[in-house]
Amino acid sequence: MTEERKAPSLKGTRLLAIAAAAFLGASAIFVLFILPAEFHRDPTGFGRLTGLDRLAGPEVVTVAAAPAGPNATARYYETALRSDSIEIMLPPGDDKGELEYKVKMRPGDTLTYSWNVTGDEAHPEWFYYDFHGESRPNPPDAKATVMEYKQSTGLTSSGALVAPFEGVHGWYFQNQSDKPLVVHLRLSGFYELVPPGEYGNEGKIEPQPRS
């Protein structure tokens, strides 16, 4: 009858020694190889000597906080974003071919816009525009503040405006040709339309119906 052989048992101290050795080996691999290659951390200098620190790519730079107040990069509004399309018919220059169209804005309100001019005699040098703002409404007998943004000739313009003060902001358009022209104006942002007949929309322009 054969005798059964029993596997030798490991003593507790030997098991602890094996576990400790495994832990130290894993820690060494993490510190010497993984930290410099993956996380740009090289406490021993081994990553710099071996070039492993270059495998992690450029180090991430902490982003500075965005400015607040009047020069804020990000702006927030209580009203919803709106968009409007406006068509302004301008008769020939000899027949009062001029008109102002503005919208109401509060300080810090943002407007983006794009407009172009069409017509048989749509020549860049024959169409003048003045983009500006006025501080209205004003107290009785007070002078309005007028701020010029751009004065030029041309058949198209696109841009954005952050209102510097409360009032009406927009354009004076002048058709200097001898044919009727049409201004196609597209607005988007945070503003209010001036009701037809009020200052800034004395031409009684209505927005185009939304499709």
Side-chain angles (χ1 to χ4, degrees):
M1 185 174 178
T2 60
E3 293 183 359
E4 294 184 0
R5 293 185 177 180
K6 296 182 180 180
S9 60
L10 297 175
K11 293 184 178 180
T13 55
R14 188 176 179 186
L15 287 173
L16 289 175
I18 294 174
F23 176 78
L24 291 174
S27 297
I29 292 173
F30 183 80
V31 172
L32 295 175
F33 296 94
I34 297 178
L35 275 181
E38 297 291 336
F39 302 103
H40 265 299
R41 298 292 180 267
D42 190 17
T44 66
F46 181 77
R48 180 177 55 82
L49 293 174
T50 60
L52 285 173
D53 58 343
R54 293 192 293 271
L55 297 178
E59 188 171 1
V60 177
V61 178
T62 302
V63 179
N71 298 320
T73 303
R75 299 175 183 272
Y76 307 93
Y77 303 93
E78 295 180 357
T79 58
L81 177 75
R82 68 176 299 156
S83 298
D84 295 281
S85 296
I86 312 293
E87 287 197 355
I88 301 172
M89 312 291 183
L90 291 176
D94 293 339
D95 192 21
K96 296 183 179 180
E98 58 185 5
L99 182 144
E100 285 203 5
Y101 185 80
K102 298 184 176 71
V103 296
K104 294 180 181 179
M105 301 177 71
R106 295 183 295 269
D109 282 355
T110 303
L111 168 73
T112 60
Y113 68 88
S114 181
W115 58 261
N116 69 292
V117 179
T118 59
D120 292 339
E121 295 292 335
H123 189 282
E125 296 301 321
W126 296 347
F127 192 85
Y128 172 81
Y129 65 92
D130 180 348
F131 184 31
H132 62 279
E134 299 180 55
S135 60
R136 292 179 179 268
N138 296 303
D141 301 325
K143 292 184 179 180
T145 298
V146 179
M147 182 173 289
E148 294 287 348
Y149 306 134
K150 187 174 184 180
Q151 296 174 325
S152 186
T153 58
L155 300 178
T156 184
S157 182
S158 300
L161 170 69
V162 178
F165 50 77
E166 182 174 3
V168 290
H169 305 262
W171 297 264
Y172 165 79
F173 294 118
Q174 184 183 59
N175 176 14
Q176 300 177 353
S177 73
D178 58 1
K179 297 289 184 180
L181 300 176
V182 181
V183 180
H184 307 274
L185 173 63
R186 294 178 295 280
L187 305 173
S188 186
F190 303 90
Y191 57 89
E192 294 180 42
L193 294 179
V194 176
E198 292 189 9
Y199 188 86
N201 187 13
E202 294 168 310
K204 301 180 180 180
I205 303 299
E206 295 277 4
Q208 297 294 303
R210 296 185 181 181
S211 57

